[in-house]
Amino acid sequence: MRRFVAEKARNLVAQAVSYPPSSVFPRRTSSPLRFLSGTSTTPLPSPSSDSMAGSDYSSTPLTLQSINPKVLKCEYAVRGEIVNLAQKIQEELQAKPGSHPFDEIIYCNIGNPQSLGQQPITFFREVLALCDHPSILDKSETQGLFSADSIERAFQILDQIPGRATGAYSHSQGIKGLRDTIASGIEARDGFPANPNDIFLTDGASPAVHMMMQLLISSENDGILCPIPQYPLYSASIALHGGTLVPYYLDEATGWGLEISELKNQLETAKSKGIKVRSLVVINPGNPTGQVLAEANQKEIVDFCKKEGLVLLADEVYQENVYVPDKQFHSFKKVARSMGYGEKDISLVSFQSVSKGFYGECGKRGGYMEVTGFSPEIREQIYKVASVNLCSNISGQILASLVMSPPKVGDESYESFSAEKDAILSSLARRAKTLEDALNSLEGITCNKAEGAMYLFPRIRLPEKAIKAAEAAKTAPDAFYARCLLNATGVVVVPGSGFRQVPGTWHFRCTILPQEDKIPAIVSRLTEFHQRFMDQYRD
Amino acid sequence: MRRFVAEKARNLVAQAVSYPPSSVFPRRTSSPLRFLSGTSTTPLPSPSSDSMAGSDYSSTPLTLQSINPKVLKCEYAVRGEIVNLAQKIQEELQAKPGSHPFDEIIYCNIGNPQSLGQQPITFFREVLALCDHPSILDKSETQGLFSADSIERAFQILDQIPGRATGAYSHSQGIKGLRDTIASGIEARDGFPANPNDIFLTDGASPAVHMMMQLLISSENDGILCPIPQYPLYSASIALHGGTLVPYYLDEATGWGLEISELKNQLETAKSKGIKVRSLVVINPGNPTGQVLAEANQKEIVDFCKKEGLVLLADEVYQENVYVPDKQFHSFKKVARSMGYGEKDISLVSFQSVSKGFYGECGKRGGYMEVTGFSPEIREQIYKVASVNLCSNISGQILASLVMSPPKVGDESYESFSAEKDAILSSLARRAKTLEDALNSLEGITCNKAEGAMYLFPRIRLPEKAIKAAEAAKTAPDAFYARCLLNATGVVVVPGSGFRQVPGTWHFRCTILPQEDKIPAIVSRLTEFHQRFMDQYRD
């Protein structure tokens, strides 16, 4: 049954998580796979120092009861308990090699390509380095180290920065010249005009999402329609701002289809509970679900928002990550404009990030939102909130302009750039397919295609015995599975409960990002683990 | 009369600001100074595009009445109306040179040194560039372009980053090896141990302040003791999180002295109004006030916080900006530890930033907070909030480690580094003194010494006639003065009302950051403007 789930209603992951008792998986050191290690009975690692644990803080002012309850309520599963355990195991592996049945932790919990060995795009890094240290631009040695077009681009960018000061705070929306470049990139992508004054450059997409939530949410009576499953940034941000997440369920049976009837039902249910729904979040390509929306479907969504007076928050950070020939990314702005809707018809925010795409520059914290269809007075409020943090980091700003205006045919870097880009994207497509096939071959697992984005989100039909064991271990069944998987293989995935899911179903999210040469080993470890897990728990 | 001023009580700057009518200052094109330009009757520039102004947004969902009222309440004066006007004038100067009685806008509104020509520290930029593009590290040309120790440092830093992946999300607190370096730097500074697990690297200090406010504030019943005058990040962040700013007034007569009796009085007043005071903010060296606290005073403050159970939020971003020989910066952590207070005795957060000091790398958005004296369960909540945004930008993280571990005696860069550092700091000290003396020579102006930080905060005794003119123009008197100053000279300062001040007194904040060769012209323009202003309005 799909039902309305208010922010505070369910919090499966929030329950105290303890590890499965070691008797669940007998220790078999002779086997290449071991389900539980010595770690299993130790407490969860705390981010604070060990030396502090157990100290008496009774004279210091803060207790869990006295801090902001919205902070307590907030959950962020992609860096939650399982990841803490993984970090602890990693430390143990470093301190005592051989202490676990695997050599390394493989972080498939988060879309962090370069942490798994993806190399940065050379042209982008050349330009960034030159902008960081412009005094080498005129030196002869620089010609030998950098491509001609990266040098030229660095000069162009410096000319766009007042006083060439890459170390100065910029305009709160970001450097005007870089916003011009980004607007041109959007125009080239969509075939419709883009206004540089609509661009707000941000430290990755996350602060942009927070900024919009801050604007839209006054109290728990303000609702935000979010897909379920969803990327937990949304549930976390809504919780931190004290609003209500109004879920709409994607239909797993039709490849995570987004049905307007479902949107309408959930909107009505929310209204009947006194919730004023402000906004609709759509993640396209989907995270964690990987589907790419069809243009016709997007048109229905735009009409729904227009009709219901909702701000459309379009998470489009995976716009370059489409892996199937029959699907294509269309920005919601392009779709709205192609329907003849202009500034006055629909309020639309598009989020983009340098962390995703083929570049995967997560550590640079670059991104932007394109804000259209807001009145000047509302725009001023958004600008004010942006200005409180002064500006986003300039390297991230520069990189955001570069991903929207990469080398073109005829540029010295064009061929090597294209080769790097194509190699990454085609490899990602192969990895997605291999992992999808492997998952679908496992007992009780079905997995939709990753048409786009960076994740697979398989459904696991867990035997009753496994669900009982999870209950006994006071954890959600999919968290129990993920923990066992980690302890046995070193592979870190995020339990579906962190993204929310149809109650009674269980999933996990696994990135497609490990380097291609590691995929066969991951597949065989996963397969072996799953068979053993099912042998243990089959009803 | 000093009195309790709740967040919502006064909002002088929030009133609709219109420009002084052009009759106030007759246009004298023959004069080198002109008080008002054609700009004076045009509306305030909106950050949104001109093409949108006046459009009908009635069918889009958001109005000022429907958005979060906390956003409406938030003010951020250092990028407020005066700065918007300055940006507009700057555009006019570019489009039509000679359209104003000055050639350029001089932004003295914000501590943004590199925007005014300060050059970055070479060593820092060398290391950043090498970390951005590590593949040049082994090339022979690199030896000719970069110092040996910057190359060595880049290698060291890359070794500290898992997989050398400067493009990967890091640990949510920042890269462990960089936190080790920062902790060592703090130890060297203070002579007391620092724990890398206490460091949270952030995109500048602002997000760290927001994070703590988010933790501490549940409702308007939660109070934060803030100095008045204060840096408006604090009032803005408290407003955005819905808390109450509990003011304590610094004593201008004793060089912006911080009196414990004042803290006690304001705490009691707040308590009597049902406010639970959670925390004390201290900015040292002071912003906008420039005072450097004496160690004895800091000890009293620490004792006050301990006794009253307050979290001490120590804004120490100007720790390297001290200009007088008889004062020295002491971190609050050092002071607390020297009093024998440890982890269990006082909750203390120290904020540091790469934007200030002699480096002034505002655009890099690097910074950290050192969080001590919180229980492990509270620490976990801080970690969780940090993790929702994944991590701060890696270049900023690297730079934060560099400012806490600059080149040392014997390093190839040491001499040039020291020369760059000393030149900047000694020049800043001279600029502070010159501007302070100039201001003190003006009729009705008194200005305390800038012992530290980057600002002067002179008091202006405005004639009744000027106050009346400001009233007629529906603006605060100091905002009226700042606007006239901008229109006449191109110099941008921030009205004291943006920082709050003892009611009935008027100030402005002016940075000491224009390059030294520009100071004489600024002094003579300021002097000439002020004399003419007083001639116009003298009672």
Side-chain angles (χ1 to χ4, degrees), chain A residues 193-211:
Chain A
N195 186 334
N197 292 323
D198 292 345
I199 310 291
F200 287 73
L201 283 149
T202 47
D203 290 309
S206 304
V209 170
H210 288 307
M211 228 186 279

Side-chain angles (χ1 to χ4, degrees), chain B residues 2 479 536:
Chain B
R2 296 179 188 171
Q536 175 93 17

Side-chain angles (χ1 to χ4, degrees), chain A residues 246-257:
Chain A
V246 179
Y248 65 93
Y249 288 82
L250 302 173
D251 184 12
E252 187 163 12
T254 58
W256 300 112

Side-chain angles (χ1 to χ4, degrees), chain A residues 461-483:
Chain A
R461 283 159 190 83
L462 290 169
E464 204 50 44
K465 223 161 123 188
I467 292 171
K468 286 264 159 44
E471 258 170 37
K474 293 186 179 143
T475 186
D478 49 9
F480 178 74
Y481 182 89
R483 191 174 298 279

